[in-house]
Amino acid sequence: MKNPMFSRHGAPVSIGQYLTLELQARQQTLSQLSETLACPEEHLRQVLDGTEPLTAALALKIERCWGVCMKLLLDLQQEHQQWVASTYQMPGGDTSPEVG
C-alpha cells in the first residue's frame, strides 16, 4: 500500500514546520517551550530549522508537554527525510546513486 504522505503534491510537512504550527496554535513562544521542556532554546531552534533532527528523548518531552504522540512526531520527521532523499538529484542530473 502506498504511503499517503507521498501521494500528495509537494513535500510532506517537516518536523520543524509541524512544531512551528503547534507553537503558533498554542500561542506559545520558543522561549516558553524551551523553559517548559528544560531544553536549550538554541537546540529547539535548530530542530525547527531542520539543522538538527528531533531525538526520541525530545519527542517524549513534547508528548508529555503537549499530548502529541512521540511516534507521530518521529514518523513525520522520518517521512520528510525519506521524501527529501527520494527527490535529491545527484550532480549532473542523475537521480540514482551508482551501485557497486
Side-chain angles (χ1 to χ4, degrees), residues 15-78:
I15 192 62
Q17 291 167 325
Y18 179 84
L19 294 175
T20 299
L21 290 171
E22 280 290 336
L23 278 170
Q24 292 170 350
R26 295 167 188 274
Q27 298 181 337
Q28 196 172 16
T29 66
L30 189 60
S31 179
Q32 291 168 330
L33 181 62
S34 170
E35 187 175 323
T36 301
L37 298 179
C39 178
E41 186 173 339
E42 181 57 28
H43 179 70
L44 286 177
R45 186 176 320 284
Q46 291 170 337
V47 171
L48 268 57
D49 292 344
T51 57
E52 286 293 326
L54 177 70
T55 63
L58 183 54
L60 180 59
K61 287 181 176 185
I62 293 169
E63 177 182 74
R64 291 177 177 164
C65 175
W66 285 348
V68 176
C69 178
M70 74 180 277
K71 182 174 179 348
L72 169 70
L73 298 173
L74 294 170
D75 285 350
L76 282 173
Q77 176 174 256
Q78 181 181 25

